[in-house]
Amino acid sequence: MGKTTIIAIAGASASGKSLFASTVYQELVAELGGNGIAILAEDAYYRDQSHLTFEQRQLTNYDHPSAFEHELLVQHLEQLRDGQAVAMPQYSYKSHTRTTETIKVQPGRVIMVEGILLLHDPHLRKLFDISVFMDTPLDVCLLRRMTRDVEERGRTIQSVAEQYEETVRPAFFEFILPSKQFADLVVTRGGQNEIAIDLIKSKIRQLLAE
Ligand code: C5P
Ligand code: MG
């Protein structure tokens, strides 16, 4: 196998990172089969909080870099790059901690990873060959987050609004937006930008054919 290419997809919460990455991944898997491409989520590397009570876990700031075990993500990306499979943790937004299961991720020619604070961390940045930033307007992100967190993450409208004001919005301006300067590509409209999805797919096809 040739050199591994690691593609990072960053941007605000609910900016379309997960949709963008999974669309690229699923369409390429349907076309070429799953060999050679792997996908990881930064959210899977939220710190394990199983030793804390649910009430204590609710106090964590999930938008601060300290909430993530980036050391483990760095280690896993290095292992994948070196041709070794890794056990990616699984995370539950409802219980605010890791589940007991892990997912085995096989190494591949191309590794995609998506998450809010990937480009903020210099250790992670060093590993990325291609960095993409989802530049979706914040009001669009907030509307999506409201619906998603109520429907899929067990939240109330009031709790989403409070968390947004207290941590999500401040962290966007403190950590996420300044990290846009490290992106190679800036994508508007997030997971719905078919041109950008096509461009990344072409790049990956080319890498897989090398
Ligand atoms: O998918 P997305 O990028 O939106 O996921 C990151 C967001 O998940 C963060 O903005 C954080 O506030 C939220 N989160 C949460 N509860 C957790 C873990 C993350 O609300 N337990
Ligand atoms: Mg996501």
Side-chain angles (χ1 to χ4, degrees):
M1 197 168 72
K3 184 190 167 296
T4 300
T5 298
I6 304 182
I7 305 176
I9 297 153
S13 168
S15 60
K17 306 174 298 294
S18 312
L19 180 63
F20 187 91
S22 69
T23 304
V24 168
Y25 178 75
Q26 280 165 19
E27 291 186 6
L28 284 172
V29 168
E31 183 186 315
L32 306 166
N35 277 351
I37 326 170
I39 185 164
L40 296 179
E42 185 192 30
D43 289 4
Y45 295 83
Y46 270 116
R47 289 186 192 282
D48 185 41
Q49 299 196 116
S50 49
H51 56 292
L52 301 178
T53 64
F54 182 76
E55 286 68 31
Q56 288 171 323
R57 291 178 209 159
Q58 281 182 309
L59 300 175
T60 303
N61 178 349
Y62 294 102
D63 292 275
H64 194 274
S66 60
F68 290 96
E69 193 180 351
H70 273 174
E71 315 82 80
L72 185 63
L73 178 55
V74 166
Q75 189 191 315
H76 281 184
L77 287 172
E78 285 174 348
Q79 279 176 278
L80 287 166
R81 192 193 54 193
D82 296 342
Q84 296 162 36
V86 301
M88 174 170 72
Q90 289 301 288
Y91 189 74
S92 162
Y93 300 97
K94 286 190 182 160
S95 57
H96 305 290
T97 192
R98 287 186 195 163
T99 66
T100 49
E101 282 117 68
T102 57
I103 286 189
K104 191 167 184 188
V105 179
Q106 297 292 345
R109 178 74 184 77
V110 175
I111 318 271
M112 279 195 288
V113 52
E114 59 91 8
I116 53 173
L117 291 174
L118 294 174
L119 298 184
H120 168 73
D121 185 326
H123 299 103
L124 282 168
R125 280 205 306 271
K126 262 206 282 187
L127 291 167
F128 301 147
D129 301 286
I130 301 173
S131 297
V132 182
F133 189 92
M134 295 288 131
D135 203 9
T136 311
L138 266 198
D139 56 342
V140 174
C141 297
L142 174 56
L143 283 175
R144 281 201 202 132
R145 178 158 172 144
M146 204 44 109
T147 318
R148 178 198 66 190
D149 283 12
V150 170
E151 285 176 2
E152 296 169 25
R153 296 189 181 178
R155 309 297 160 89
T156 61
I157 288 188
Q158 197 196 338
S159 80
V160 177
E162 277 169 18
Q163 189 186 9
Y164 189 79
E165 249 187 277
E166 276 165 26
T167 68
V168 181
R169 191 174 190 281
F172 174 76
F173 289 105
E174 188 174 355
F175 307 117
I176 301 174
L177 187 56
S179 76
K180 184 168 137 182
Q181 64 183 302
F182 301 114
D184 303 303
L185 291 171
V186 174
V187 171
T188 56
R189 302 193 305 283
Q192 269 132 35
N193 189 327
E194 283 174 25
I195 305 285
I197 289 170
D198 258 14
L199 286 171
I200 294 292
K201 277 168 61 187
S202 306
K203 180 67 187 168
I204 296 177
R205 258 189 226 107
Q206 181 199 324
L207 289 164
L208 292 174
E210 270 171 16

